[in-house]
């Protein structure tokens, strides 16, 4: 299985190794990609464990896992990445469908990460209102315009 994060590697060799704990994220983008993959596979434990201890909420685990049952993640687009002195920011677009709702939704975020004791952690993020335009390429990867495909 190709990794959901969009890299041309298998899930086990890419984000799966981070989620299972046999490898650590090497930078902020690597952690963000693995966290996206954890949403795809519904691993709430990993998402909470990779949240900075100052922002971690253990009670989120079952909520994340329940949300995964009704959400189908369609793809990830990394917009920008910056890192400096143990801090990182990654702006990304994550496309998904929720439940039986028609249309594709967009989670657009600029996430902030910090390196703490040799490990990268998600701190928080800024969300942006973004949607797929009718004439934009469909995020499903069909090559068609959104209005002729998944709208």
């Amino acid at each position: 299985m190709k990794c959901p994060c969009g890299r041309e590697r298998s899930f086990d060799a890419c984000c799966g190794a981070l989620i299972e704990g046999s490898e650590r994220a090497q930078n902020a983008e690597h952690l963000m990609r693995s966290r996206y993959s954890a949403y795809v596979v519904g691993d709430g434990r990993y998402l909470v464990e990779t949240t900075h201890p100052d922002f971690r909420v253990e009670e989120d685990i079952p909520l994340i896992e329940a949300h995964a049952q009704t959400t189908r993640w369609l793809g990830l687009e990394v917009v920008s990445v910056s890192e400096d002195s143990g801090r990182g920011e990654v702006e990304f677009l994550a496309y998904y469908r929720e439940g039986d709702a028609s249309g594709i939704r967009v989670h657009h975020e600029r996430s902030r990460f910090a390196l703490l004791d040799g490990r990268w952690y998600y701190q928080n993020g800024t969300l942006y209102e973004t949607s797929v335009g009718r004439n934009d390429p469909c995020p499903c990867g069909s090559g068609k315009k959104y209005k002729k495909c998944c709208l």
Side-chain angles (χ1 to χ4, degrees):
M1 161 177 152
K2 183 181 165 204
C3 194
C5 82
R7 291 210 166 128
E8 293 296 324
R9 298 174 67 190
S10 72
F11 174 72
D12 291 337
C14 191
C15 294
L18 277 72
I19 292 169
E20 73 159 24
S22 63
E23 291 183 22
R24 286 185 183 180
Q26 299 301 306
N27 54 48
E29 180 183 0
H30 197 196
L31 180 61
M32 186 281 305
R33 286 180 178 276
S34 71
R35 287 175 56 85
Y36 170 80
S37 292
Y39 276 106
V40 172
V41 300
D43 195 322
R45 174 203 52 83
Y46 179 76
L47 290 161
V48 169
E49 286 177 359
T50 57
T51 299
H52 192 282
D54 291 348
F55 302 99
R56 192 175 292 163
V57 180
E58 297 288 331
E59 293 80 10
D60 283 349
I61 294 172
L63 299 173
I64 292 165
E65 292 172 351
H67 184 259
Q69 299 299 313
T70 60
T71 304
R72 189 175 67 147
W73 295 94
L74 304 171
L76 175 67
E77 178 184 338
V78 175
V79 176
S80 66
V81 177
S82 63
E83 279 184 37
D84 186 33
S85 302
R87 299 256 180 238
E89 284 192 355
V90 180
E91 183 176 350
F92 66 92
L93 302 159
Y95 301 96
Y96 66 99
R97 284 185 190 266
E98 216 167 28
D100 292 333
S102 63
I104 294 175
R105 295 185 181 186
V106 182
H107 179 94
H108 183 180
E109 182 174 333
R110 178 178 292 276
S111 297
R112 286 175 282 288
F113 299 86
L115 188 61
L116 177 66
D117 298 327
R119 292 197 116 141
W120 282 98
Y121 291 96
Y122 170 80
Q123 288 184 296
N124 55 37
T126 301
L127 294 175
Y128 300 98
E129 278 293 321
T130 303
S131 60
V132 181
R134 292 176 46 79
N135 290 315
D136 290 343
C138 192
C140 78
S142 68
K144 298 178 183 177
K145 288 185 178 185
Y146 180 56
K147 69 182 178 186
K148 299 277 187 182
C149 191
C150 291
L151 180 62

